Amino acid sequence: MARIAVIGAGTGAMAAAARLAVAGHRVAVYERTETYGGAVRRFERDGFSFDTGPGLLPLPAVYRDLFLKTGKEPLEACVELVQVDPSARHVFADGTRLSVPNASRAGVVTALDEALGSGAGQRWGDFLIRAREAWDRTRRPLLEEPLWPNWSVLADREPYPAVPHKRLLRTRRATTLAEVGAWELRDPRLIALLESHALAFGLDPRVAPASAAVLPYLEHAFGTWYVRGGIRELARAVYERCVARRVEFVFGAEVTGVLEKDGRAAGVELAGGAVAEAEFVVAGVAPEVLSRVVGQAAARGADEVAPQRGLPSRMTVLLALRGGRGKEAAHRTVVHAPDRESELDALFAAAPATPWRPTVTVLRPDDPELVPDPEHEAVTLTSVVPAGRPGPEVVDAYTETMMRAAEQAVPDLRERLLWHEVRTPADIADVTGAEGGAVPPPALAAGDGRLLHPSNSTAIPGLFTVGGWSHPGGGLPHAGMSGALVAGLIVEGPEFRGSQ
């Protein structure tokens, strides 16, 4: 039985802690803030409740596996999962509206033909078949195994089987997601549908590899799920599973250094000078925090993938509305930007001081636990924005443009509005420690390895990294997978190659 110190109480870190405790280790989690969950937080006011981090759960099998492996109670005994249908409603720049059925290829094809015209469904269906092939080729090395020592193979090999495209007497295959849309989907609304999945993770489709096709495929194949009471309830359930397995949590405990002895990790030092000795240290923190406690060069080997920089953040607007949620409301509506190029340039090229008209996701959960009574509604707006610490005037301008877009999903929004709260990139930075509130995307193959993440193992023996900033990247499912990988590497050693 080893003593293990975990830095941070994000979902990936807690997933690792629970698995390690079940394996017989003594695990203590040191969290700088006063609560668990990392970016998975909740805001409450006047009987309203909102998720301020992720609002939906893709690939719930990751957490089903966690609960199966760490106790007798399955996930569904601890939280109520609800499959969202339609998966999303899309409002395109030309005013076209599309409701996408959840996890139904035939339903999606029919819906696309009815909304966008004959042939649209077939083109999207054929794309999903190719996206599935990319998923099958990358699922295990990117999600279920520790990062390969020869990770450059993943960086160089494009798994998406793009359709040959003839242009100017040359035959080419798509290498970016934007080229997949332009050459294989062609309709600007289908392109917007495709690219919205990348944009939701802060990825520029013009440079994101074609392998990003797996992102819409994941949602199509495994469905979109909501946790009754909000995604914060999932974090609560993971925390309680840890406590039940005798994981110790120390809140308000900032780790200022990782101790080393005989060339390996030997514990952590806390603000104030206290020391907690341990045979292994698991760091579930942003790269900036990790570099402060161990040094960036020491945290990874010389041949490892470097942490990603320059990633965007998110703005979240929480709306308390009078009047109940209408029966016609969709749980999720994506209101697309009217000018794709302007939005992408603003996000990934210039980071302007004044806001543009962004793509906005509107969440309207049918959940009585979020409101004081049936005569009120809690609505959450999210949009990808540049990382940083925007001033009050910029925040107000962003908020106004997001609310204006949201009126296409909630037409009477202004008249019903009681109050609103805003969560900015600065708030994300304060909670997670990530520079500018940057949000990590999931790992993707190809693209010269730009979207791979550093290995869970580090250059310091006994020190491991977990969570969205390490392999296999950001997003709730990926964080849970990283917890499984780290637990396997500690329990079974460097020969661990993932669950079979």
Side-chain angles (χ1 to χ4, degrees):
M1 179 176 68
R3 292 168 299 176
I4 300 175
V6 179
I7 308 172
T11 51
M14 291 195 295
R19 290 176 181 271
L20 288 166
V22 166
H25 298 294
R26 290 172 50 195
V27 184
V29 177
Y30 300 92
E31 168 57 43
R32 166 179 71 86
T33 70
E34 299 300 327
T35 188
Y36 55 84
V40 183
R41 297 295 177 101
R42 172 185 286 151
F43 176 81
E44 296 177 338
R45 174 181 163 186
D46 300 339
F48 291 86
S49 182
F50 305 86
D51 282 320
T52 59
L56 294 170
L57 176 65
L59 235 127
V62 172
Y63 289 91
R64 289 189 178 116
D65 181 72
L66 171 64
F67 277 74
L68 177 67
K69 300 290 176 57
T70 59
K72 296 180 180 179
E73 282 188 313
L75 176 62
E76 280 82 355
C78 303
V79 298
E80 182 183 353
L81 292 179
V82 181
Q83 194 165 20
V84 176
D85 201 10
S87 174
R89 181 172 294 161
H90 291 263
V91 181
F92 296 107
D94 66 353
T96 303
R97 292 174 178 261
L98 165 71
S99 290
V100 180
N102 199 339
S104 168
R105 183 180 186 278
V108 170
V109 168
T110 299
L112 284 166
D113 280 343
E114 291 177 351
L116 308 187
S118 179
Q122 183 67 47
R123 289 198 298 277
W124 185 258
D126 291 344
F127 157 75
L128 287 177
I129 292 173
R130 293 187 288 275
R132 176 181 178 176
E133 187 170 339
W135 166 254
D136 289 341
R137 291 174 176 176
T138 60
R139 174 183 58 84
R140 187 161 183 82
L142 278 177
L143 303 180
E144 298 176 358
E145 297 179 345
L147 188 66
W148 293 350
N150 60 334
W151 58 265
S152 59
V153 174
L154 297 174
D156 298 335
R157 184 179 300 164
E158 174 55 69
Y160 179 77
V163 175
H165 174 71
K166 293 184 178 180
R167 184 180 183 185
L168 299 177
L169 302 179
R170 296 175 59 195
T171 299
R172 296 181 56 196
R173 292 181 183 271
T175 59
T176 68
L177 193 68
E179 289 175 340
V180 171
W183 299 352
E184 300 180 15
L185 300 178
R186 300 188 295 279
D187 187 309
R189 296 163 298 183
L190 284 179
I191 293 171
L193 175 62
L194 169 68
E195 294 183 348
S196 66
H197 291 271
L199 189 61
F201 285 104
L203 299 176
D204 184 348
R206 299 171 301 186
V207 297
S211 64
V214 300
L215 300 176
Y217 174 76
L218 276 173
E219 187 169 299
H220 163 78
F222 302 105
T224 303
W225 299 79
Y226 172 70
V227 179
R228 185 72 66 189
I231 294 294
R232 175 68 177 177
E233 286 298 292
L234 176 65
R236 173 198 57 76
V238 177
Y239 168 73
E240 291 180 352
R241 177 55 55 91
C242 286
V243 172
R245 297 299 166 262
R246 300 185 180 181
V247 174
E248 178 187 2
F249 284 82
V250 185
F251 294 107
E254 182 178 4
V255 173
T256 57
V258 171
L259 304 177
E260 292 186 55
K261 183 178 180 181
D262 299 329
R264 61 173 290 118
V268 297
E269 182 176 359
L270 306 176
V275 168
E277 296 182 349
E279 282 75 47
F280 297 94
V281 176
V282 176
V285 295
E288 293 76 20
V289 179
L290 187 64
S291 66
R292 286 199 298 270
V293 297
V294 297
Q296 195 63 61
R300 67 178 197 273
D303 61 344
E304 285 287 0
V305 180
Q308 297 181 51
R309 303 291 181 180
L311 295 169
S313 184
R314 294 192 183 100
M315 181 84 78
T316 303
V317 181
L318 315 174
L319 306 176
L321 304 184
R322 62 171 63 89
R325 177 185 184 273
K327 293 182 178 180
E328 78 291 345
H331 188 118
R332 174 176 55 168
T333 300
V334 180
V335 183
H336 293 265
D339 187 333
R340 167 186 177 273
E341 287 298 325
S342 293
E343 178 178 36
L344 297 181
D345 284 344
L347 278 173
F348 303 107
T354 56
W356 63 100
R357 170 48 183 88
T359 294
V360 176
T361 298
V362 182
L363 297 181
R364 305 179 67 185
D366 184 9
D367 187 350
E369 296 183 28
L370 305 185
V371 291
D373 56 59
E375 298 307 313
H376 293 86
E377 183 180 7
V379 176
T380 302
L381 316 180
T382 58
S383 185
V384 176
V385 299
R389 292 185 175 270
E393 292 184 359
V394 174
V395 170
D396 289 345
Y398 278 133
T399 301
E400 174 60 28
T401 58
M402 290 174 66
M403 291 179 64
R404 193 178 306 139
E407 288 181 292
Q408 298 187 60
V410 191
D412 51 354
L413 185 154
R414 304 280 183 173
E415 293 74 21
R416 297 174 57 198
L417 183 63
L418 293 171
W419 49 262
H420 74 274
E421 292 277 349
V422 181
R423 290 294 177 268
T424 71
D427 295 309
I428 297 175
D430 291 341
V431 168
T432 66
E435 184 177 352
V439 178
L444 293 173
D448 298 324
R450 293 189 308 274
L451 293 171
L452 297 176
H453 293 259
S455 171
N456 308 105
S457 302
T458 72
I460 302 175
L463 173 65
F464 298 85
T465 62
V466 71
W469 292 103
S470 60
H471 180 73
L476 281 172
H478 296 73
M481 293 171 189
S482 74
L485 292 174
V486 167
L489 287 166
I490 291 176
V491 172
E492 299 187 24
E495 69 278 3
F496 175 70
R497 289 297 175 265
S499 58
Q500 300 297 321

mmCIF file of all heavy atoms in Angstrom, residues 197-229:
data_model
loop_
_atom_site.group_PDB
_atom_site.id
_atom_site.type_symbol
_atom_site.label_atom_id
_atom_site.label_comp_id
_atom_site.label_asym_id
_atom_site.label_seq_id
_atom_site.Cartn_x
_atom_site.Cartn_y
_atom_site.Cartn_z
ATOM 1 N N HIS A 197 -18.975 21.622 -33.947
ATOM 2 C CA HIS A 197 -18.472 20.642 -32.991
ATOM 3 C C HIS A 197 -17.019 20.949 -32.629
ATOM 4 O O HIS A 197 -16.614 20.774 -31.472
ATOM 5 C CB HIS A 197 -18.590 19.235 -33.563
ATOM 6 C CG HIS A 197 -20.000 18.768 -33.696
ATOM 7 N ND1 HIS A 197 -20.663 18.110 -32.686
ATOM 8 C CD2 HIS A 197 -20.889 18.873 -34.715
ATOM 9 C CE1 HIS A 197 -21.893 17.831 -33.073
ATOM 10 N NE2 HIS A 197 -22.047 18.287 -34.298
ATOM 11 N N ALA A 198 -16.230 21.402 -33.594
ATOM 12 C CA ALA A 198 -14.850 21.796 -33.306
ATOM 13 C C ALA A 198 -14.812 23.103 -32.530
ATOM 14 O O ALA A 198 -14.065 23.247 -31.552
ATOM 15 C CB ALA A 198 -14.057 21.919 -34.601
ATOM 16 N N LEU A 199 -15.629 24.057 -32.966
ATOM 17 C CA LEU A 199 -15.638 25.363 -32.318
ATOM 18 C C LEU A 199 -16.031 25.252 -30.854
ATOM 19 O O LEU A 199 -15.518 25.995 -30.004
ATOM 20 C CB LEU A 199 -16.602 26.296 -33.058
ATOM 21 C CG LEU A 199 -16.586 27.766 -32.642
ATOM 22 C CD1 LEU A 199 -15.214 28.373 -32.872
ATOM 23 C CD2 LEU A 199 -17.652 28.542 -33.388
ATOM 24 N N ALA A 200 -16.929 24.330 -30.515
ATOM 25 C CA ALA A 200 -17.346 24.156 -29.126
ATOM 26 C C ALA A 200 -16.170 23.793 -28.227
ATOM 27 O O ALA A 200 -16.190 24.066 -27.019
ATOM 28 C CB ALA A 200 -18.428 23.075 -29.037
ATOM 29 N N PHE A 201 -15.126 23.186 -28.796
ATOM 30 C CA PHE A 201 -13.922 22.850 -28.037
ATOM 31 C C PHE A 201 -12.811 23.880 -28.232
ATOM 32 O O PHE A 201 -11.664 23.653 -27.841
ATOM 33 C CB PHE A 201 -13.401 21.467 -28.444
ATOM 34 C CG PHE A 201 -14.212 20.333 -27.892
ATOM 35 C CD1 PHE A 201 -15.099 19.640 -28.703
ATOM 36 C CD2 PHE A 201 -14.088 19.963 -26.563
ATOM 37 C CE1 PHE A 201 -15.848 18.592 -28.192
ATOM 38 C CE2 PHE A 201 -14.839 18.918 -26.042
ATOM 39 C CZ PHE A 201 -15.724 18.224 -26.850
ATOM 40 N N GLY A 202 -13.152 25.024 -28.841
ATOM 41 C CA GLY A 202 -12.157 26.067 -29.039
ATOM 42 C C GLY A 202 -11.176 25.781 -30.142
ATOM 43 O O GLY A 202 -10.052 26.292 -30.131
ATOM 44 N N LEU A 203 -11.577 24.973 -31.137
ATOM 45 C CA LEU A 203 -10.696 24.611 -32.241
ATOM 46 C C LEU A 203 -11.061 25.387 -33.500
ATOM 47 O O LEU A 203 -12.248 25.518 -33.833
ATOM 48 C CB LEU A 203 -10.783 23.107 -32.525
ATOM 49 C CG LEU A 203 -10.379 22.175 -31.377
ATOM 50 C CD1 LEU A 203 -10.618 20.719 -31.772
ATOM 51 C CD2 LEU A 203 -8.930 22.396 -30.994
ATOM 52 N N ASP A 204 -10.061 25.864 -34.201
ATOM 53 C CA ASP A 204 -10.261 26.553 -35.474
ATOM 54 C C ASP A 204 -10.380 25.496 -36.571
ATOM 55 O O ASP A 204 -9.402 24.803 -36.866
ATOM 56 C CB ASP A 204 -9.075 27.472 -35.753
ATOM 57 C CG ASP A 204 -9.247 28.303 -37.016
ATOM 58 O OD1 ASP A 204 -10.167 28.020 -37.794
ATOM 59 O OD2 ASP A 204 -8.429 29.234 -37.212
ATOM 60 N N PRO A 205 -11.556 25.337 -37.193
ATOM 61 C CA PRO A 205 -11.715 24.289 -38.202
ATOM 62 C C PRO A 205 -10.814 24.470 -39.409
ATOM 63 O O PRO A 205 -10.557 23.519 -40.144
ATOM 64 C CB PRO A 205 -13.193 24.387 -38.589
ATOM 65 C CG PRO A 205 -13.618 25.755 -38.190
ATOM 66 C CD PRO A 205 -12.799 26.102 -36.979
ATOM 67 N N ARG A 206 -10.295 25.669 -39.624
ATOM 68 C CA ARG A 206 -9.423 25.920 -40.770
ATOM 69 C C ARG A 206 -8.053 25.279 -40.595
ATOM 70 O O ARG A 206 -7.354 25.052 -41.580
ATOM 71 C CB ARG A 206 -9.289 27.429 -41.002
ATOM 72 C CG ARG A 206 -10.599 28.130 -41.306
ATOM 73 C CD ARG A 206 -10.451 29.636 -41.307
ATOM 74 N NE ARG A 206 -9.979 30.133 -40.020
ATOM 75 C CZ ARG A 206 -9.876 31.427 -39.721
ATOM 76 N NH1 ARG A 206 -10.216 32.347 -40.622
ATOM 77 N NH2 ARG A 206 -9.434 31.808 -38.528
ATOM 78 N N VAL A 207 -7.673 24.989 -39.357
ATOM 79 C CA VAL A 207 -6.381 24.349 -39.105
ATOM 80 C C VAL A 207 -6.514 23.044 -38.333
ATOM 81 O O VAL A 207 -5.561 22.258 -38.281
ATOM 82 C CB VAL A 207 -5.421 25.299 -38.354
ATOM 83 C CG1 VAL A 207 -5.116 26.522 -39.191
ATOM 84 C CG2 VAL A 207 -5.992 25.705 -37.004
ATOM 85 N N ALA A 208 -7.667 22.790 -37.713
ATOM 86 C CA ALA A 208 -7.876 21.520 -37.016
ATOM 87 C C ALA A 208 -7.790 20.385 -38.026
ATOM 88 O O ALA A 208 -8.324 20.478 -39.134
ATOM 89 C CB ALA A 208 -9.235 21.495 -36.324
ATOM 90 N N PRO A 209 -7.108 19.287 -37.687
ATOM 91 C CA PRO A 209 -6.962 18.193 -38.646
ATOM 92 C C PRO A 209 -8.305 17.571 -39.003
ATOM 93 O O PRO A 209 -9.286 17.681 -38.260
ATOM 94 C CB PRO A 209 -6.062 17.201 -37.914
ATOM 95 C CG PRO A 209 -6.242 17.510 -36.466
ATOM 96 C CD PRO A 209 -6.465 18.986 -36.396
ATOM 97 N N ALA A 210 -8.335 16.900 -40.151
ATOM 98 C CA ALA A 210 -9.569 16.230 -40.587
ATOM 99 C C ALA A 210 -10.033 15.215 -39.556
ATOM 100 O O ALA A 210 -11.228 14.906 -39.481
ATOM 101 C CB ALA A 210 -9.341 15.557 -41.937
ATOM 102 N N SER A 211 -9.119 14.713 -38.730
ATOM 103 C CA SER A 211 -9.492 13.745 -37.697
ATOM 104 C C SER A 211 -10.470 14.319 -36.691
ATOM 105 O O SER A 211 -11.102 13.566 -35.934
ATOM 106 C CB SER A 211 -8.249 13.247 -36.959
ATOM 107 O OG SER A 211 -7.616 14.300 -36.256
ATOM 108 N N ALA A 212 -10.662 15.648 -36.652
ATOM 109 C CA ALA A 212 -11.687 16.248 -35.801
ATOM 110 C C ALA A 212 -13.083 15.801 -36.188
ATOM 111 O O ALA A 212 -14.052 16.081 -35.475
ATOM 112 C CB ALA A 212 -11.587 17.774 -35.854
ATOM 113 N N ALA A 213 -13.197 15.080 -37.299
ATOM 114 C CA ALA A 213 -14.486 14.486 -37.683
ATOM 115 C C ALA A 213 -15.013 13.546 -36.612
ATOM 116 O O ALA A 213 -16.217 13.269 -36.566
ATOM 117 C CB ALA A 213 -14.321 13.733 -39.005
ATOM 118 N N VAL A 214 -14.141 13.054 -35.732
ATOM 119 C CA VAL A 214 -14.609 12.158 -34.670
ATOM 120 C C VAL A 214 -15.492 12.891 -33.670
ATOM 121 O O VAL A 214 -16.284 12.253 -32.962
ATOM 122 C CB VAL A 214 -13.441 11.479 -33.934
ATOM 123 C CG1 VAL A 214 -12.596 10.655 -34.898
ATOM 124 C CG2 VAL A 214 -12.590 12.479 -33.179
ATOM 125 N N LEU A 215 -15.409 14.216 -33.575
ATOM 126 C CA LEU A 215 -16.176 14.953 -32.581
ATOM 127 C C LEU A 215 -17.674 14.886 -32.839
ATOM 128 O O LEU A 215 -18.443 14.529 -31.942
ATOM 129 C CB LEU A 215 -15.681 16.401 -32.490
ATOM 130 C CG LEU A 215 -14.202 16.552 -32.093
ATOM 131 C CD1 LEU A 215 -13.787 18.020 -32.116
ATOM 132 C CD2 LEU A 215 -13.947 15.932 -30.725
ATOM 133 N N PRO A 216 -18.161 15.199 -34.048
ATOM 134 C CA PRO A 216 -19.592 14.979 -34.289
ATOM 135 C C PRO A 216 -19.969 13.507 -34.270
ATOM 136 O O PRO A 216 -21.092 13.158 -33.884
ATOM 137 C CB PRO A 216 -19.836 15.612 -35.670
ATOM 138 C CG PRO A 216 -18.492 15.708 -36.305
ATOM 139 C CD PRO A 216 -17.528 15.902 -35.180
ATOM 140 N N TYR A 217 -19.043 12.619 -34.660
ATOM 141 C CA TYR A 217 -19.365 11.198 -34.631
ATOM 142 C C TYR A 217 -19.614 10.720 -33.199
ATOM 143 O O TYR A 217 -20.544 9.937 -32.958
ATOM 144 C CB TYR A 217 -18.249 10.367 -35.259
ATOM 145 C CG TYR A 217 -18.515 8.885 -35.089
ATOM 146 C CD1 TYR A 217 -19.461 8.251 -35.891
ATOM 147 C CD2 TYR A 217 -17.886 8.153 -34.094
ATOM 148 C CE1 TYR A 217 -19.757 6.905 -35.712
ATOM 149 C CE2 TYR A 217 -18.171 6.807 -33.907
ATOM 150 C CZ TYR A 217 -19.106 6.188 -34.717
ATOM 151 O OH TYR A 217 -19.413 4.865 -34.524
ATOM 152 N N LEU A 218 -18.828 11.172 -32.244
ATOM 153 C CA LEU A 218 -19.014 10.780 -30.854
ATOM 154 C C LEU A 218 -20.425 11.100 -30.377
ATOM 155 O O LEU A 218 -21.078 10.282 -29.737
ATOM 156 C CB LEU A 218 -17.998 11.509 -29.972
ATOM 157 C CG LEU A 218 -16.612 10.905 -29.837
ATOM 158 C CD1 LEU A 218 -15.696 11.845 -29.079
ATOM 159 C CD2 LEU A 218 -16.698 9.573 -29.124
ATOM 160 N N GLU A 219 -20.869 12.304 -30.691
ATOM 161 C CA GLU A 219 -22.213 12.702 -30.270
ATOM 162 C C GLU A 219 -23.273 11.867 -30.970
ATOM 163 O O GLU A 219 -24.267 11.467 -30.366
ATOM 164 C CB GLU A 219 -22.414 14.190 -30.559
ATOM 165 C CG GLU A 219 -23.711 14.747 -30.009
ATOM 166 C CD GLU A 219 -23.745 16.255 -30.087
ATOM 167 O OE1 GLU A 219 -22.874 16.900 -29.467
ATOM 168 O OE2 GLU A 219 -24.640 16.794 -30.776
ATOM 169 N N HIS A 220 -23.066 11.608 -32.251
ATOM 170 C CA HIS A 220 -24.032 10.816 -33.007
ATOM 171 C C HIS A 220 -24.093 9.376 -32.508
ATOM 172 O O HIS A 220 -25.176 8.808 -32.342
ATOM 173 C CB HIS A 220 -23.651 10.831 -34.487
ATOM 174 C CG HIS A 220 -24.310 9.753 -35.295
ATOM 175 N ND1 HIS A 220 -25.623 9.829 -35.708
ATOM 176 C CD2 HIS A 220 -23.839 8.556 -35.738
ATOM 177 C CE1 HIS A 220 -25.925 8.721 -36.373
ATOM 178 N NE2 HIS A 220 -24.864 7.946 -36.402
ATOM 179 N N ALA A 221 -22.941 8.771 -32.256
ATOM 180 C CA ALA A 221 -22.893 7.345 -31.934
ATOM 181 C C ALA A 221 -23.285 7.046 -30.495
ATOM 182 O O ALA A 221 -23.940 6.031 -30.221
ATOM 183 C CB ALA A 221 -21.489 6.798 -32.210
ATOM 184 N N PHE A 222 -22.907 7.920 -29.561
ATOM 185 C CA PHE A 222 -23.100 7.618 -28.147
ATOM 186 C C PHE A 222 -24.141 8.499 -27.477
ATOM 187 O O PHE A 222 -24.442 8.322 -26.299
ATOM 188 C CB PHE A 222 -21.761 7.720 -27.413
ATOM 189 C CG PHE A 222 -20.720 6.808 -27.990
ATOM 190 C CD1 PHE A 222 -19.696 7.306 -28.780
ATOM 191 C CD2 PHE A 222 -20.776 5.439 -27.790
ATOM 192 C CE1 PHE A 222 -18.736 6.467 -29.332
ATOM 193 C CE2 PHE A 222 -19.827 4.592 -28.330
ATOM 194 C CZ PHE A 222 -18.806 5.103 -29.108
ATOM 195 N N GLY A 223 -24.671 9.433 -28.211
ATOM 196 C CA GLY A 223 -25.762 10.243 -27.688
ATOM 197 C C GLY A 223 -25.282 11.401 -26.825
ATOM 198 O O GLY A 223 -24.112 11.523 -26.477
ATOM 199 N N THR A 224 -26.229 12.251 -26.497
ATOM 200 C CA THR A 224 -25.992 13.397 -25.628
ATOM 201 C C THR A 224 -26.852 13.224 -24.385
ATOM 202 O O THR A 224 -28.051 12.949 -24.483
ATOM 203 C CB THR A 224 -26.358 14.709 -26.344
ATOM 204 O OG1 THR A 224 -25.598 14.816 -27.552
ATOM 205 C CG2 THR A 224 -26.072 15.908 -25.468
ATOM 206 N N TRP A 225 -26.237 13.406 -23.220
ATOM 207 C CA TRP A 225 -26.912 13.110 -21.959
ATOM 208 C C TRP A 225 -26.852 14.319 -21.030
ATOM 209 O O TRP A 225 -25.925 15.121 -21.062
ATOM 210 C CB TRP A 225 -26.247 11.908 -21.281
ATOM 211 C CG TRP A 225 -26.312 10.663 -22.114
ATOM 212 C CD1 TRP A 225 -25.512 10.344 -23.178
ATOM 213 C CD2 TRP A 225 -27.242 9.588 -21.983
ATOM 214 N NE1 TRP A 225 -25.881 9.145 -23.702
ATOM 215 C CE2 TRP A 225 -26.934 8.639 -22.993
ATOM 216 C CE3 TRP A 225 -28.281 9.319 -21.100
ATOM 217 C CZ2 TRP A 225 -27.649 7.464 -23.143
ATOM 218 C CZ3 TRP A 225 -28.993 8.140 -21.236
ATOM 219 C CH2 TRP A 225 -28.676 7.230 -22.252
ATOM 220 N N TYR A 226 -27.876 14.397 -20.199
ATOM 221 C CA TYR A 226 -27.957 15.433 -19.170
ATOM 222 C C TYR A 226 -28.062 14.742 -17.819
ATOM 223 O O TYR A 226 -28.671 13.669 -17.701
ATOM 224 C CB TYR A 226 -29.186 16.316 -19.419
ATOM 225 C CG TYR A 226 -29.472 17.305 -18.316
ATOM 226 C CD1 TYR A 226 -28.633 18.395 -18.106
ATOM 227 C CD2 TYR A 226 -30.582 17.147 -17.488
ATOM 228 C CE1 TYR A 226 -28.897 19.309 -17.091
ATOM 229 C CE2 TYR A 226 -30.855 18.055 -16.477
ATOM 230 C CZ TYR A 226 -30.007 19.127 -16.280
ATOM 231 O OH TYR A 226 -30.257 20.025 -15.279
ATOM 232 N N VAL A 227 -27.443 15.329 -16.813
ATOM 233 C CA VAL A 227 -27.532 14.806 -15.453
ATOM 234 C C VAL A 227 -28.563 15.632 -14.695
ATOM 235 O O VAL A 227 -28.428 16.860 -14.598
ATOM 236 C CB VAL A 227 -26.165 14.876 -14.743
ATOM 237 C CG1 VAL A 227 -26.288 14.352 -13.316
ATOM 238 C CG2 VAL A 227 -25.124 14.077 -15.518
ATOM 239 N N ARG A 228 -29.613 14.973 -14.206
ATOM 240 C CA ARG A 228 -30.668 15.679 -13.486
ATOM 241 C C ARG A 228 -30.071 16.451 -12.307
ATOM 242 O O ARG A 228 -29.298 15.911 -11.525
ATOM 243 C CB ARG A 228 -31.698 14.677 -12.974
ATOM 244 C CG ARG A 228 -32.916 15.318 -12.308
ATOM 245 C CD ARG A 228 -33.820 15.980 -13.316
ATOM 246 N NE ARG A 228 -34.440 15.004 -14.214
ATOM 247 C CZ ARG A 228 -35.140 15.326 -15.280
ATOM 248 N NH1 ARG A 228 -35.287 16.601 -15.621
ATOM 249 N NH2 ARG A 228 -35.685 14.399 -16.036
ATOM 250 N N GLY A 229 -30.412 17.736 -12.233
ATOM 251 C CA GLY A 229 -29.827 18.604 -11.221
ATOM 252 C C GLY A 229 -28.599 19.341 -11.714
ATOM 253 O O GLY A 229 -28.074 20.215 -11.021
#
